[in-house]
Amino acid sequence: MTRFFSFSAALLLSISPALAANATAQPDTKPAPATHAAKASAPEHKGSYPTALFCGTWAMMSAADAIEVAANRAMGPAARLMLTLPPMYSRVVKQEHFSLSRVDGASWTTSSPPLKLTFTLQSENTALLVIDSSEGHKMELPLYRDDTRTQNP
């Protein structure tokens, strides 16, 4: 019987420091108070998309001509998207072809004065094309992926 008590005492002494440490280390369940400045400076989360996902045929609506987007084979900083506007848009902006470079995981842009063009993926099947002119004009085209047709010649 004395062996049982000595074994129990030894077991209790070996476990007690772990139990004491666990009892005193309570996780802080209260969230840290968020300040207005922290919320304002937090960037909006954007997805990161591979270059191949930007490529294809994009349209604003089914009746409008499609915008074609293709990529070169380069990787890293040399990677470019080649964006071709259909005649209905190229007549307005006076330019048909654009070469865009990556800004972040969801956006590509180019600046060829007097135009600045930005192509941003909002999901795998929706995008936003923004064309800014230095003269103060701005065109925003919400696009959807349209792989069912090709651009009209």
Side-chain angles (χ1 to χ4, degrees):
M1 197 68 161
T2 58
R3 285 186 179 172
F4 175 73
F5 287 122
S6 61
F7 175 74
S8 298
L11 182 64
L12 184 63
L13 288 175
S14 65
I15 294 176
S16 62
L19 292 174
N22 192 18
T24 59
Q26 294 292 332
D28 188 17
T29 58
K30 287 193 274 182
T35 62
H36 181 66
K39 287 182 183 177
S41 65
E44 184 179 320
H45 177 69
K46 288 185 176 181
S48 183
Y49 301 101
T51 304
L53 208 54
F54 289 85
C55 299
T57 305
W58 296 86
M60 190 168 81
M61 61 182 121
S62 61
D65 289 338
I67 294 170
E68 293 291 326
V69 179
N72 66 355
R73 290 181 168 207
M75 301 289 288
R80 295 286 183 265
L81 284 184
M82 277 59 84
L83 189 135
T84 304
L85 292 177
M88 67 184 286
Y89 300 123
S90 62
R91 280 191 293 258
V92 174
V93 298
K94 310 270 190 291
Q95 191 172 342
E96 185 177 4
H97 300 285
F98 294 91
S99 175
L100 290 79
S101 58
R102 187 181 285 271
V103 175
D104 57 32
S107 297
W108 292 71
T109 190
T110 186
S111 183
S112 56
L115 299 174
K116 179 182 178 187
L117 187 130
T118 305
F119 185 70
T120 305
L121 236 55
Q122 296 175 333
S123 74
E124 292 184 9
N125 293 315
T126 60
L128 180 66
L129 178 64
V130 178
I131 302 173
D132 284 318
S133 171
S134 61
E135 299 160 353
H137 301 290
K138 184 175 187 176
M139 183 181 348
E140 291 186 3
L141 302 171
L143 303 171
Y144 69 93
R145 189 175 298 281
D146 189 13
D147 291 334
T148 61
R149 64 179 176 166
T150 58
Q151 184 177 359
N152 296 337

